[in-house]
Amino acid sequence: MPSMFKQFIFVPIFIFLMQCENDSNEDCSAVSCYAETLFIKLIDTNSGENLLENGTYSDIDFEILDENSNSVPFYLSSGTIGNYMGITIPGTPSETLKYIFKIKNKTLFSTQITVEKTGEGNSCCGIQKEVKNIVVSGTENEIAISKNTITIFFE
C-alpha cells in the first residue's frame, strides 16, 4: 500500500509541473500584432497633387537616417490617405526618435517623434506604445498626431 500512496502523491505533482511551459516556446504565428506606423505624404503646394502618386518620386529617391546616421527602413504604399511613405516605429519603450529625411541626397526635413509606452504587451507583440508628439523641422508641414500622419508640402 505505501507504494500506491506514493503514486497518488507524485502523479498529480508531475502532471501539474508538465502544464508549466516556457513562454519562449510560444507559437506566435497565428497572432496579429499592431505595429505603430508613421505615415508621410508629399504634396505639391501649387497643384495639390500627391508626389508619390503622380510618379514624381519613387522609393529610390529617398533615404531616411536615424540620429546615428543608420539607415531606417521604409516602404511606399497606398491607402485611405492616398500614397504615402510608411515607417514602422521600433518596439522600444518611451523615447524620442530623431530621423533625417533625404531626397536625391539632399536633406529635405528632420523629425522628432516622441513614443510613449502604453502597456506591457506580450511575448509575441512586444511593448504596447503610441506616438504622443511629432515635430518637423525644415519644411512646411501639417501633422495629424491621432493618425500618425505628416503631410509635407513642396513648392
Side-chain angles (χ1 to χ4, degrees):
M1 254 348 228
S3 113
M4 186 70 123
F5 181 71
K6 288 180 186 177
Q7 287 179 347
F8 282 119
I9 292 176
F10 289 116
V11 169
I13 292 173
F14 180 74
I15 291 172
F16 173 76
L17 291 174
M18 290 299 291
Q19 291 177 352
C20 297
E21 292 184 26
N22 186 346
D23 286 342
S24 65
N25 295 330
E26 187 174 351
D27 179 13
C28 296
S29 63
V31 177
S32 295
C33 299
Y34 171 72
E36 197 71 36
T37 303
L38 181 66
F39 304 100
I40 301 166
K41 298 188 318 181
L42 305 174
I43 304 296
D44 183 295
T45 305
N46 298 321
S47 69
E49 287 187 75
N50 183 317
L51 299 173
L52 297 172
E53 202 168 288
N54 72 8
T56 301
Y57 297 112
S58 68
D59 59 348
I60 61 172
D61 296 320
F62 297 101
E63 181 180 26
I64 304 173
L65 303 172
D66 66 13
E67 61 188 358
N68 297 318
S69 297
N70 296 317
S71 183
V72 175
F74 67 94
Y75 59 92
L76 300 183
S77 191
S78 63
T80 58
I81 62 171
N83 288 31
Y84 61 86
M85 179 185 304
I87 301 170
T88 302
I89 303 296
T92 59
S94 304
E95 70 176 305
T96 298
L97 305 166
K98 298 175 184 177
Y99 296 133
I100 296 170
F101 292 78
K102 293 185 173 193
I103 190 164
K104 297 186 178 183
N105 295 321
K106 180 182 175 192
T107 299
L108 180 60
F109 64 95
S110 61
T111 62
Q112 289 188 11
I113 305 159
T114 304
V115 179
E116 289 186 7
K117 179 180 172 182
T118 59
E120 295 303 318
N122 58 50
S123 61
C124 289
C125 296
I127 299 170
Q128 293 170 325
K129 61 200 172 309
E130 173 178 325
V131 173
K132 291 292 187 179
N133 191 31
I134 302 170
V135 176
V136 176
S137 303
T139 189
E140 184 181 345
N141 63 82
E142 183 178 288
I143 298 170
I145 296 228
S146 63
K147 298 178 182 178
N148 292 353
T149 302
I150 301 172
T151 302
I152 301 297
F153 297 100
F154 285 90
E155 286 192 36

